Amino acid sequence: MSNYKRVKYNKCPLVEVTYQLNYPVILSIEANEPVDFQEEIRLKYPVYDQQNEDIFTVENAKANADLNQRQVRKLHHFISGDQQWRVTLAKDMLAFTTVKYDTWEELSARSIEVIESFVKEYKPAYFTRIGLRYVDAIERPVLGLQDSSWNELLQPHLCGCLGYKTKGFAQVRNSNVNAVVSFGDVFVNIASGLGTVDHHDGKAPSEAFILNCDYYISQRISIDDLKTMSTKLHDRSHVFFRESITDKLHYAMEPREINE
């Protein structure tokens, strides 16, 4: 797909990664507690939490005004002992979220174990959407780039008003880019712009460029094709991220080549 070599960054800006599968509604997940599914994965995900999520769609848009009209989805969370990994099960969704992402291979291996347990218990006919979402928070001081402008670090398609050049004084206070880009059957939903990161160290939140990219394939996907399609998402995410940053930012994050 690309001449870009896969790398790991010593100063990686990733704050969260989510791998999500959607499937036709399975009513038994909503109607019954997922006891057997929990037993299958409980050794790695011993902490359980459950919450209800309001679903707002065009069909139930009046839910804001009429609580009797709202739709609610029950979410079952299974969390690792170190709180770094979370499996979320719903009637139409299975998701894996981590704040300790190392490699795609690790995420893929951990998810396959859970997917096998899910398929064994609930027997989904097929999947309707798979998604891989990366959230990066790029902080210039952390990378020794506090004297660099954002348009020296980011490619024009992400910069928006951050690329504004003028002979007079101007300071961009806020700039956001929202877009959907398609690469054949792979789409990426991009939400990016200036934000802040709170390190909970007693200091004020620091400025960061937040890059939230959701790569997805939305079509009927068989269980047998799941691994191939998921790998395609990862490959596209690697290329798009590298095509969205400059060499200056790339090397400041201290890349190390991954031997495949």
Side-chain angles (χ1 to χ4, degrees):
M1 178 183 289
S2 168
N3 293 325
Y4 293 122
K5 295 180 179 179
R6 281 187 62 199
V7 299
K8 287 176 61 176
Y9 292 111
N10 290 334
K11 297 181 178 180
C12 184
L14 270 175
V15 294
E16 185 176 275
V17 179
T18 298
Y19 173 51
Q20 180 173 315
L21 312 176
N22 290 82
Y23 39 81
V25 170
I26 300 175
L27 293 176
S28 61
I29 296 176
E30 189 102 339
N32 305 299
E33 297 299 316
V35 176
D36 293 335
F37 177 72
Q38 183 193 35
E39 284 303 301
E40 289 280 338
I41 68 172
R42 187 164 55 84
L43 288 179
K44 285 192 175 181
Y45 306 93
V47 181
Y48 173 75
D49 186 32
Q50 186 263 317
Q51 61 184 157
N52 293 326
E53 176 189 57
D54 289 336
I55 304 174
F56 297 103
T57 64
V58 173
E59 289 75 17
N60 72 331
K62 293 192 299 181
N64 285 307
D66 184 355
L67 294 180
N68 293 323
Q69 298 267 337
R70 72 173 183 165
Q71 293 184 21
V72 176
R73 179 169 64 173
K74 186 182 293 185
L75 301 179
H76 301 278
H77 299 297
F78 307 90
I79 305 163
S80 62
D82 61 5
Q83 307 289 308
Q84 304 297 300
W85 294 79
R86 183 177 74 244
V87 175
T88 300
L89 175 68
K91 63 183 179 181
D92 57 354
M93 176 198 76
L94 180 68
F96 311 82
T97 301
T98 181
V99 295
K100 193 180 179 181
Y101 183 88
D102 186 46
T103 64
W104 162 246
E105 285 75 16
E106 180 189 18
L107 175 60
S108 179
R110 291 186 71 126
S111 65
I112 285 173
E113 292 178 351
V114 176
I115 291 169
E116 289 176 348
S117 298
F118 169 75
V119 170
K120 175 183 175 183
E121 179 66 23
Y122 294 107
K123 301 176 178 60
Y126 53 87
F127 298 99
T128 57
R129 183 188 187 276
I130 57 173
L132 184 59
R133 183 170 67 94
Y134 290 92
V135 181
D136 292 276
I138 302 167
E139 300 175 74
R140 289 178 293 187
V142 171
L143 302 171
L145 297 171
Q146 57 270 21
D147 296 325
S148 299
S149 62
W150 286 114
N151 61 7
E152 293 179 79
L153 309 177
L154 305 169
Q155 296 294 353
H157 60 271
L158 290 185
C159 277
C161 282
L162 295 176
Y164 177 53
K165 297 178 181 179
T166 177
K167 294 181 180 180
F169 176 77
Q171 184 176 5
V172 179
R173 297 291 186 178
N174 191 21
S175 179
N176 296 285
V177 173
N178 294 280
V180 177
V181 180
S182 64
F183 303 93
D185 58 352
V186 176
F187 292 77
V188 55
N189 191 349
I190 306 156
S192 64
L194 292 181
T196 58
V197 176
D198 189 348
H199 294 285
H200 304 287
D201 54 4
K203 299 179 181 179
S206 55
E207 182 187 72
F209 185 85
I210 309 299
L211 179 58
N212 184 339
C213 290
D214 180 21
Y215 304 85
Y216 64 94
I217 296 174
S218 185
Q219 62 187 49
R220 181 167 174 155
I221 302 167
S222 69
I223 295 171
D224 292 338
D225 289 336
L226 190 60
K227 184 175 181 180
T228 298
M229 293 292 195
S230 300
T231 299
K232 181 187 287 190
L233 289 180
H234 171 260
D235 290 345
R236 172 47 62 188
S237 71
H238 154 68
V239 174
F240 184 78
F241 182 79
R242 188 62 186 88
E243 291 179 341
S244 297
I245 63 174
T246 65
D247 287 345
K248 184 174 185 177
L249 177 55
H250 173 70
Y251 289 112
M253 292 188 293
E254 300 179 1
R256 291 182 291 116
E257 188 175 333
I258 295 176
N259 295 319
E260 299 182 275

